[in-house]
Amino acid sequence: MTRRLTRTLGLLAALFSVLALVAAGCGNDDDGDESAVDPALLETFDADDDGTLTIGVAAAGPRDDQGYYQSLVDFAENFSAENGFAPPIVSDNIGAAEAAQAMSDLAEQGVDVILVGASEIAEPLADLTEQYPNIFWYCNCGAGFPEIPGLAQATDWGAPIHYTAGVAMGAALADHGGDTTVFLGCCDLNFEQEAYNATVAGLQSVDPSYTMEYVATGGFPFDFDNSANATAALTNAIAEGATLAYAYLGGALNPVGQLATEEGIAVFAAGPADICSRDDGIDWTGAIVFDGGLYAQQALPRIISGDLTEGATYQFPTEQGLNGGELCDPSAEATAMLADAFEAVATDGELLGVLGGISGAAYGGG
């Protein structure tokens, strides 16, 4: 009887709590009730003044790729849930040719903010930001996109990020053996060239005998999702002696990781910050972090404070814990080597000159 009464009282208490929340939500402005939502969020982003936010996400690849594209979707979903907002509206697998229509359709669905997941679909933003000026437009634009008045963007510098990646891979080879690696990408795009050449520079700073081959696995442009081609390329690379693979991929990321695990070779992922904590059956050796969700989380306070406004660009530094190479189970020697690499890309003028040359060559400026 006591247990039943206790349970009944608990249910009544829960019901009264729900009713109280509903009543608070239905109160008028004279009630004195304050929203649990940070007023600065609403002041900055609430385009239609309805007291809540709806986030739109425009992703160039699959929303559930477990990689670069999903990281921004996960951020939007978690942020919306934590603040009691409606789930975000996600438009994914957007190709460059249909980007204008896809993002226009997204803007028409009553969103207050649109998070654009990559510069590869950013070209229509000059027109869209003028067509939908009340929406706050933010782009995680990677290597960067020309500044336009209606767009706040966050960028990073791929060369130092990938130099630390190469050092992490070199440290992994030193720990586990082998000297041959493969970089599995899309289609030799300029940011891939930058990433590949900077990775090789970092790798060979550990041991000049280490080699890396770039292999394109997708169709031009921006096809990072061809699992069949990517796994076939990895199979060939392993047959030719590769003992480490870097999956610079989107939808094909996990299939490559799974095959590498089955074959017993080291494998690195590109993008997400949570690779080393995942329980996905893949024996990840490490990651090269440039996480769109983590960047958005860091950018948000800057937007609210006014440090990052529409029309401005913020470039994230290369900083351990934010981006760059990460090892999942490093030796003490590998840990020290990677820390030294992050210090070098922040302070070594000669190295920064080399990395600048790599970026210049990739983007046609050197």
Side-chain angles (χ1 to χ4, degrees), residues 24-228:
C26 295
N28 60 36
D29 292 340
D30 296 328
D31 291 337
D33 293 320
E34 294 183 359
S35 171
V37 177
D38 184 347
L41 286 175
L42 300 179
E43 183 178 350
T44 304
F45 300 114
D46 187 6
D48 52 10
D49 295 321
D50 64 352
T52 188
L53 298 184
T54 302
I55 298 174
V57 181
R63 62 179 294 166
D64 57 353
D65 72 330
Q66 300 295 310
Y68 176 79
Y69 303 118
Q70 186 173 337
S71 64
L72 188 61
V73 175
D74 285 350
F75 163 78
E77 290 179 339
N78 294 335
F79 178 79
S80 296
E82 288 166 1
N83 286 282
F85 302 146
I89 301 171
V90 179
S91 179
D92 66 346
N93 287 310
I94 300 174
E98 65 266 17
Q101 187 62 56
M103 287 191 282
S104 178
D105 292 344
L106 187 59
E108 291 288 349
Q109 296 183 62
V111 297
D112 300 285
V113 184
I114 292 183
L115 309 179
V116 181
S119 57
E120 63 209 58
I121 56 172
E123 185 175 350
L125 291 178
D127 293 331
L128 290 170
T129 54
E130 289 188 359
Q131 187 177 353
Y132 301 98
N134 291 334
I135 292 174
F136 192 98
W137 294 84
Y138 165 87
C139 181
N140 180 55
C141 274
F145 186 75
E147 289 187 348
I148 54 178
L151 177 67
Q153 59 174 308
T155 66
D156 55 28
W157 184 11
I161 286 174
H162 277 85
Y163 179 86
T164 68
V167 172
M169 294 176 197
L173 288 178
D175 280 349
H176 302 296
D179 59 9
T180 304
T181 68
V182 62
F183 185 120
L184 301 173
C186 164
C187 40
D188 204 27
L189 298 165
N190 51 12
F191 57 84
E192 293 183 89
Q193 295 169 19
E194 178 188 45
Y196 168 71
N197 287 309
T199 302
V200 171
L203 182 72
Q204 294 184 342
S205 75
V206 177
D207 188 326
S209 71
Y210 292 161
T211 62
M212 172 172 276
E213 179 186 7
Y214 173 88
V215 180
T217 66
F220 183 86
F222 310 126
D223 177 15
F224 293 88
D225 311 314
N226 194 318
S227 299

Side-chain angles (χ1 to χ4, degrees), residues 319-339:
E319 186 176 279
Q320 197 162 17
L322 173 65
N323 49 30
E326 179 180 354
L327 289 161
C328 293
D329 188 19
S331 64
E333 293 80 3
T335 298
M337 196 179 299
L338 190 54

Side-chain angles (χ1 to χ4, degrees), residues 332-358:
E333 293 80 3
T335 298
M337 196 179 299
L338 190 54
D340 288 345
F342 277 96
E343 177 71 15
V345 298
T347 62
D348 187 329
E350 182 178 353
L351 173 59
L352 290 170
V354 171
L355 297 175
I358 287 172

Side-chain angles (χ1 to χ4, degrees), residues 64-71 74 168-169 245-250 252-258 261 266-292 294 321-322 324-330:
D64 57 353
D65 72 330
Q66 300 295 310
Y68 176 79
Y69 303 118
Q70 186 173 337
S71 64
D74 285 350
M169 294 176 197
Y246 176 25
Y248 191 83
L249 299 167
L253 176 69
N254 272 15
V256 164
Q258 290 162 354
T261 299
V267 61
F268 281 75
D274 67 345
I275 285 292
C276 291
S277 63
R278 290 185 179 181
D279 183 16
D280 56 7
I282 298 174
D283 188 13
W284 295 109
T285 308
I288 292 73
V289 178
F290 43 95
D291 186 298
L294 182 58
L322 173 65
E326 179 180 354
L327 289 161
C328 293
D329 188 19

